[in-house]
Structure formats: C-alpha cells, structure tokens
Amino acid sequence: MKEQNIYPSFPVDCKSLVSKYLKKEIFEELKELKTKNGFTLEKAIASGVQNFDSGIGVYAGDLESYTIFASLFDPIIEDYHQFKKDDKHKSNLNAEDLKASNPDIEGKYIVSTRIRVGRNFAKYPLGPAISKEQRENIEKEASSALNSLDGKLRGKYYPLEGMSEEISKQLIQDHFLFKAGDRFLEAAGLNRNWPSGRGIYHNEEKTFLVWVNEEDQLRIISMQSGGDIKEVFTRLTKAISKIEEKVEFLYDNHLGYITSCPTNLGTAMRASVHIKLPNLGANMKKFEEITQKYHLQIRGIDGEHSQSIGGVYDISNKRRLGVTEVQCVQDMYDGVVELIKEEKKLE
Ligand code: ADP
Ligand code: CIR
C-alpha cells in the first residue's frame, strides 16, 4: 500500500522553491487539509516531489488552494514574484499605453513574437482538480465562445481527440500547439484523461490561437513573424475582451488572474520573442546581466525546459504579478532593445 502523508525528502542539491519552503512544520500543519474540491497538499507538491529538477514544484487545484496552503504558497509567490502577502495586483490591458516601435525593422534578429495569457473559468476548479466531465464542459463552453469570434479572429476549434499524429506533430514543430506528455504537468494531475477535452482554436493565418485544457483551461495566444510587438499585443487585448463577453474568468484582487502554476499568477502573461543572439549566447555572463536587469527569462526555442538551437533564444518577461500587462510587455521590449544593441557590439 502507498505510504501517505510522509514528509518528502529532497536531494541536497535540489533547487526547487518547494524544497526550499516545505519545512517539516509547514508540512505537518497542512498535510491533513483539503479544499472544497478535494485538493490536498500531497497533490499540490506532487510535481516537485516527482521532479527534483523543478524550478518551483507546486500547482494549485483551485483558488482556495492559495489560501488553505498559504503558508507554503505565499513564500513561493514572494520569492518568485517579489510580491508580498498584502500587495495588490493591478491590470492594464490598454495596448495604447505600450511604447514599442519595432526594434528590428530589417528582421535581422527577431524571428517571431508571441504573447500569451492563461485564463481559467470562474465556475470550475483548476486543471489539477477538475473531473473529466467538468473538463469536457469547459471545452464545450470555450469552443462555443471562440466560434462566435469574427473578423481577423475568426477561426475553427480542433479537438486533440481524433487529430492525426502528422498534423499535431507539425503544429508542435511550428510552435503553435502544446506538447503531450510533459512530466511536470503529468505529476500535477494535469494530463489525466488525455487527450479528452483538449484542443486548439486558431484563425486561418495562425496569428491568433487558443489552447484549451492544457496547464490552464485557456491559453490565449497572439503571435506572428518578426518584431512588431505592439501589433501582437493589440491583437491579444482585443481577443481577450471579446472572449470575456462570453466567459467569466477566475480573478482575485490580491493574486490577479488565477492559474494552476503560481509563476503565472497576476497577468498570467508571457510575452516572448524568438531572437538570434549567437554572440551573446557565447557570452552568457553579459547575456544574463541584461536579462536580470530587465526581469527576463531565457528559454530554448521549443518551449519550457528546451535548449537553444543555432543561437536562437526565447526571451520573455519573468515578472507577471504586481505588474500590469503593459509593464510585462514593456520589460520584454526594453530588454530586447538592449540585447540587440549588445549583440551588435559583439559582432
Ligand atoms: P508557454 O509560453 O505557454 O509558457 P512554452 O514555453 O512551452 O509555454 O511555449 C509554448 C510554445 O510556444 C513552444 O512551442 C514555443 O516554442 C512557442 N513559442 C514561445 N515563444 C515564441 C515566439 N516568440 N515565437 C514563436 N514561438 C514561440
Ligand atoms: C517547474 O517547477 O519547473 C515547473 N512546474 C514549471 C514552472 C513554471 N515555469 C517557469 O518558471 N519557468
């Protein structure tokens, strides 16, 4: 029989935030608690307990997880976002406030720009705690709201179930679709009943896409080739407000938009460019000095936990909570301007 409620041990070189903050006394205080949706501490920490290379290692099953397990979640949130218990989140989705003329008109550095937000339905638990039936209802409600979009946002919903392997492979390779089998999500209970209830909506040009029932119930995405960051942000903000006419999203005055992973709380926004920086890539000290100054994260070009290929990096905002959406994109934009300047110096 599986042993339950035993304080997990982490290797000494484990750097995840869950290993840092899950002290024995916190574990003892929280181990018997359960949210109204039946979400427990054991479920919340499963991803970090099964994946010692996690950066964070916890997921929430519902809004209540963030309060019931606050003595674990709060220090993790404070550490990742530099956001304190009494701070309030602010939202600003007015694209007019962004100062971002294309930093690479010749198209020499920026391959593509993508901005996404995570959103979850107010009336359901989050992905780690939903039932198959709830997930399927979300899919129905999401696809019906999306199918009512018109103009440049008009598109079609494609369920994962029944999608040919060839098409899904191509969509993943072209950076449009999420990957299957992520071990961090698997351990968090986010891959249960795969592929049922999952899918992707996109317009003809694939500049506006929505992932359904991956890590969050919706990932609303605007993307295109090149570096016109403002155009990408403008399209995203219009799409969000259209979808919000049909669906009520989970929002909290303290934590902003509620997401299953605490790194996405607040704006739930990741604004990124795929950018060619081979010289900075060979000078990581300088590279990281700039990314730290502008609160940016470096990822590989096949998404989270992937490697850079051919000197192309995924550069995105790291801050998402306690800063507005405009500020998230501005962080990325200002940092990218500086990165291009430094890359030119090194050429
Ligand atoms: P998320 O952005 O939702 O946190 P990932 O980091 O896994 O998740 O990225 C999802 C997909 O989006 C990956 O295929 C990744 O390559 C792609 N992607 C991210 N940023 C860009 C970009 N600026 N241009 C093109 N594709 C991108
Ligand atoms: C982890 O803990 O590494 C995964 N659960 C993903 C966390 C979010 N991603 C990130 O901050 N880069």
Side-chain angles (χ1 to χ4, degrees):
M1 206 180 88
K2 191 174 155 235
E3 279 188 299
Q4 285 198 322
N5 282 345
I6 303 290
Y7 181 60
S9 66
F10 296 93
V12 279
D13 59 348
C14 181
K15 294 194 185 69
S16 68
L17 295 185
V18 67
S19 71
K20 183 169 169 188
Y21 293 110
L22 187 67
K23 304 285 177 220
K24 182 97 177 26
E25 59 277 18
I26 304 250
F27 179 83
E28 293 302 327
E29 172 201 327
L30 303 179
K31 69 176 189 188
E32 304 292 347
L33 303 180
K34 229 183 218 182
T35 70
K36 286 188 197 75
N37 296 301
F39 204 68
T40 58
L41 178 71
E42 194 186 12
K43 291 180 181 168
I45 63 175
S47 195
V49 169
Q50 290 173 43
N51 298 285
F52 294 145
D53 56 343
S54 291
I56 318 298
V58 289
Y59 286 87
D62 41 29
L63 175 58
E64 201 190 347
S65 305
Y66 285 106
T67 48
I68 228 175
F69 305 121
S71 37
L72 174 63
F73 276 99
D74 280 349
I76 290 179
I77 291 168
E78 184 170 341
D79 191 316
Y80 184 86
H81 295 280
Q82 281 78 58
F83 184 80
K84 299 227 162 36
K85 244 172 57 192
D86 301 321
D87 290 347
K88 272 206 158 41
H89 180 68
K90 298 182 290 293
S91 175
N92 179 9
L93 278 157
N94 184 3
E96 290 304 312
D97 293 341
L98 180 72
K99 292 176 190 57
S101 57
N102 190 338
D104 178 34
I105 298 198
E106 290 169 14
K108 209 175 146 203
Y109 300 94
I110 303 179
V111 181
S112 52
T113 302
R114 173 182 184 267
I115 310 179
R116 61 83 166 156
V117 292
R119 290 289 186 270
N120 291 282
F121 284 53
K123 64 179 180 184
Y124 294 107
L126 297 167
I130 48 173
S131 66
K132 183 167 189 284
E133 194 189 351
Q134 286 171 323
R135 196 185 299 105
E136 285 167 1
N137 288 339
I138 289 165
E139 181 187 39
K140 276 192 208 113
E141 291 169 37
S143 56
S144 126
L146 293 166
N147 285 331
S148 73
L149 296 174
D150 55 16
K152 291 193 169 155
L153 303 178
R154 179 195 293 275
K156 203 173 159 228
Y157 177 70
Y158 304 87
L160 226 57
E161 212 159 14
M163 187 185 283
S164 77
E165 204 173 316
E166 193 191 345
I167 290 184
S168 72
K169 216 172 130 194
Q170 192 64 47
L171 284 170
I172 293 168
Q173 206 174 318
D174 294 341
H175 307 291
F176 294 125
L177 181 63
F178 48 90
K179 294 177 266 191
D182 180 286
R183 66 189 157 90
F184 299 87
L185 302 186
E186 177 70 32
L190 276 155
N191 293 346
R192 288 170 301 130
N193 315 113
W194 189 277
S196 163
R198 280 81 175 185
I200 182 171
Y201 171 94
H202 63 77
N203 65 359
E204 183 100 22
E205 290 180 292
K206 301 202 190 81
T207 53
F208 169 63
L209 308 97
V210 182
W211 295 355
V212 177
N213 283 319
E214 195 241 8
E215 180 177 319
D216 289 306
Q217 288 154 8
L218 299 186
R219 283 282 170 99
I220 306 172
I221 302 160
S222 170
M223 66 196 281
Q224 68 193 46
S225 304
D228 195 339
I229 295 168
K230 186 150 180 162
E231 185 169 279
V232 173
F233 186 50
T234 304
R235 183 189 306 113
L236 180 73
T237 57
K238 284 184 184 157
I240 294 171
S241 70
K242 282 281 166 206
I243 299 171
E244 267 180 332
E245 288 172 13
K246 310 263 174 184
V247 181
E248 191 195 340
F249 293 129
L250 194 54
Y251 187 87
D252 176 79
N253 283 334
H254 170 53
L255 294 174
Y257 287 99
I258 300 301
T259 53
S260 64
C261 175
T263 65
N264 284 317
L265 288 166
T267 59
M269 173 172 281
R270 195 169 85 86
S272 68
V273 286
H274 277 183
I275 181 168
K276 288 180 209 154
L277 301 169
N279 292 292
L280 273 169
N283 186 345
M284 282 317 278
K285 192 165 167 271
K286 185 75 207 165
F287 199 171
E288 282 172 2
E289 210 175 274
I290 301 173
T291 53
Q292 263 168 34
K293 177 171 164 204
Y294 291 93
H295 313 283
L296 302 180
Q297 187 180 55
I298 309 174
R299 293 187 183 183
I301 58 159
D302 288 315
E304 181 142 46
H305 309 111
S306 71
Q307 298 298 313
S308 158
I309 299 172
V312 183
Y313 294 86
D314 173 326
I315 302 296
S316 62
N317 60 297
K318 185 166 185 254
R319 302 195 292 180
R320 310 190 218 287
L321 175 61
V323 288
T324 66
E325 288 82 353
V326 169
Q327 189 62 53
C328 290
V329 186
Q330 198 69 55
D331 277 353
M332 189 273 271
Y333 177 83
D334 294 345
V336 162
V337 168
E338 176 113 2
L339 287 168
I340 293 176
K341 204 167 110 200
E342 281 303 319
E343 179 68 16
K344 282 183 177 164
K345 275 196 214 162
L346 294 170
E347 274 164 6

